[in-house]
Amino acid sequence: MKTVVGLAGLKFEIMEEPDNQALQLGREFGNRGQCNPTYFTVGNLVKHLVELRDGAGIPTERIIREYAFVTAGGCGPCRMGMYATEYRKALRDSGFEGFRVLLFTRSGDVQDVLMDGLKLTNTDLLRFFFAIMVGDALNSINIKRRPFEETPGSVDAQVKEARALVQEGISQGRWIRGMWQARKILRSMKLKREKRPVVHIMGEFWAKTTDGEGNYHLFRFIEKEGGVVSNETLTDWLLHQIWRARWIASRKRTGRIWSGTEVQLLVLEKLIKFFFLGIGSLLGEKLHLSNHGELATLAKEHFDLHVDGGEDHMEVAHHIHIAKNRLADLIVSVKPFTCLSSSGVSDGVQNKISNLYPQVEFIAVETNGDGAANFYSRIQMGLQKVSAQFR
Ligand code: SF4
């Protein structure tokens, strides 16, 4: 495990991708009836702390005193609202009572939570989000190019090298230089020119962005089966949250003049877009971000925009947008077993959208940690249907 010194002189450790062992630990120490991301992420923290204690020999008291875990949380209405309680219960029952868990929430109190716990300034937070955008950009480049690599494994290796250069640049305060050096590595990639079916992965936030046992290595499976993945990014999700906060503020307004909050949120949205697309250009890749106002307009006829939780109306909106513009051949909507918002709400609408826009194949698949064969076979069936034109 690598430790890096980052914001405000704090030391950061990058945790492993949650695996099935983490899932088992999550189930063992968590409450019954939680969704998969809860079990995977809670279990992963317990697994990590046990490794620190038993593997690295760090006494429990020191772990509780010197370490903290920063993650995403929320106020509901989906299980995200219960994450904090789940962490506390699992940590208590696994022998780490008192360990600090600091949550970013989607209700706008990021600052309160983080600054109380870590004493971060606004500048630190901006740098933090900038680092997320760079990571997002590098991940997207990796996913976009990997299916076309001439030598197996070369794109992963080159992106890893590029990431290390960016990381070094960030730690020396020379962000642009780090990215410029990474660009040279990325430009030297040897890629094949061939046509492949485009598979857009959408769905529940954690299931669609994770790249591991939590979604049965979905990205790599699709690549192995001959597809190329079109992915959704964390930055896009962040933009959606900002759009939503602005929309809520606009609903409270009585006149036509925008409130200060609305203006601030619009500026923030523009800045994020400017930086993310700029990072892409610097790294030599044309990246894409959604127009969330347009997505909301597309969805509102079928999905009440007031319904909050998980992806809100985004799954329905992305489906319509992709189908209308023929941006993919197949859409895979991936959701964890028992997800309230994705399986319980969005999927109820998706059937109608599939009937209205049959030009793009749509399949919804669930992950539950032990149903890989069924999961893979549904993806294969979807891919076979759309692959005929590429043979
Ligand atoms: S969106 Fe679904 S899977 Fe994700 S935290 Fe909420 S209930 Fe769980």
Side-chain angles (χ1 to χ4, degrees):
M1 179 205 328
K2 189 170 179 188
T3 304
V4 285
V5 177
L7 300 177
L10 293 165
K11 289 182 195 157
F12 287 83
E13 279 179 8
I14 299 153
M15 288 171 68
E16 297 291 321
E17 189 69 39
D19 57 10
N20 284 333
Q21 195 193 346
L23 173 69
Q24 296 315 327
L25 284 167
R27 282 178 177 162
E28 185 181 340
F29 292 110
N31 280 305
R32 298 285 161 267
Q34 298 303 308
C35 56
N36 257 6
T38 323
Y39 289 137
F40 268 107
T41 53
V42 171
N44 204 37
L45 176 60
V46 172
K47 183 179 153 207
H48 186 76
L49 298 186
V50 169
E51 276 165 13
L52 286 180
R53 185 190 62 199
D54 302 345
I58 304 174
T60 307
E61 306 73 49
R62 213 184 112 202
I63 294 174
I64 293 171
R65 195 176 60 242
E66 293 180 10
Y67 286 73
F69 177 63
V70 182
T71 186
C75 61
C78 77
R79 266 70 159 249
M80 264 204 132
M82 299 174 215
Y83 272 31
T85 321
E86 282 301 306
Y87 278 114
R88 306 240 174 279
K89 178 190 178 309
L91 288 165
R92 184 196 64 206
D93 293 354
S94 59
F96 295 97
E97 184 160 20
F99 183 85
R100 286 167 299 166
V101 175
L102 305 168
L103 297 181
F104 282 96
T105 79
R106 41 179 275 156
S107 54
D109 48 358
V110 173
Q111 261 196 347
D112 288 346
V113 174
L114 277 179
M115 291 174 77
D116 278 358
L118 295 177
K119 304 276 178 286
L120 296 184
T121 62
N122 281 341
T123 315
D124 290 330
L125 280 174
L126 280 176
R127 290 172 66 200
F128 179 77
F129 284 116
F130 197 71
I132 287 181
M133 285 191 262
V134 179
D136 240 358
L138 283 168
N139 275 349
S140 298
I141 292 171
N142 199 0
I143 289 165
K144 237 173 150 177
R145 299 189 187 176
R146 200 165 50 205
F148 304 104
E149 63 192 4
E150 277 187 3
T151 316
S154 60
V155 168
D156 274 343
Q158 281 168 302
V159 169
K160 193 174 171 196
E161 206 180 325
R163 194 176 286 131
L165 287 168
V166 173
Q167 196 173 310
E168 198 183 313
I170 291 173
S171 59
Q172 293 170 354
R174 303 168 115 181
W175 295 62
I176 307 280
R177 188 163 176 263
M179 282 193 277
W180 192 254
Q181 285 177 332
R183 176 192 173 97
K184 289 183 198 155
I185 305 279
L186 299 174
R187 281 176 76 100
S188 68
M189 282 176 178
K190 299 260 182 300
L191 303 172
K192 292 180 279 195
R193 282 181 183 273
E194 61 184 31
K195 278 203 168 272
R196 284 172 166 242
V198 177
V199 182
H200 185 84
I201 298 181
M202 62 147 79
E204 190 272 341
F205 174 72
W206 188 79
K208 76 177 177 186
T209 52
T210 200
D211 185 13
E213 291 179 2
N215 64 4
Y216 303 117
H217 299 278
L218 177 58
F219 292 76
R220 287 171 197 270
F221 180 73
I222 287 172
E223 289 164 19
K224 186 170 76 63
E225 293 296 313
V228 54
V229 169
S230 138
N231 67 313
E232 293 177 12
T233 56
L234 223 100
T235 308
D236 213 39
W237 190 78
L238 193 62
L239 281 177
H240 168 71
Q241 302 306 329
I242 294 169
W243 174 86
R244 187 166 189 84
R246 188 156 64 83
W247 181 73
I248 290 170
S250 75
R251 306 277 294 166
K252 291 180 184 159
R253 166 166 36 101
T254 46
R256 296 180 64 183
I257 312 250
W258 281 36
S259 65
T261 310
E262 284 174 85
V263 176
Q264 277 177 5
L265 288 167
L266 182 66
V267 171
L268 186 60
E269 194 182 310
K270 299 264 178 229
L271 277 176
I272 289 177
K273 281 189 175 170
F274 173 77
F275 280 120
F276 185 71
L277 301 179
I279 288 166
S281 309
L282 208 55
L283 294 172
E285 182 73 48
K286 194 170 185 316
L287 297 173
H288 166 79
L289 285 171
S290 305
N291 177 337
H292 286 276
E294 188 191 333
L295 288 182
T297 308
L298 288 173
K300 71 180 176 194
E301 190 188 329
H302 311 283
F303 195 104
D304 189 336
L305 301 186
H306 294 92
V307 175
D308 184 11
E311 294 288 300
D312 304 334
H313 58 269
M314 276 212 294
E315 292 183 32
V316 169
H318 278 303
H319 188 168
I320 301 173
H321 176 69
I322 289 166
K324 272 190 156 180
N325 297 289
R326 295 301 299 260
L327 298 176
D329 301 288
L330 170 68
I331 296 174
V332 173
S333 183
V334 57
K335 62 262 344 274
F337 181 61
T338 81
C339 171
L340 296 173
S341 341
S342 200
S343 309
V345 184
S346 291
D347 275 4
V349 185
Q350 295 290 30
N351 196 20
K352 185 179 172 198
I353 307 296
S354 290
N355 289 332
L356 286 173
Y357 300 96
Q359 58 269 47
V360 171
E361 275 301 313
F362 175 87
I363 50 172
V365 279
E366 273 195 344
T367 61
N368 68 357
D370 48 17
N374 193 24
F375 181 92
Y376 287 147
S377 97
R378 296 215 49 218
I379 307 264
Q380 274 172 329
M381 281 195 283
L383 262 169
Q384 265 172 22
K385 249 179 158 175
V386 300
S387 294
Q389 54 182 307
F390 295 90
R391 284 187 200 118

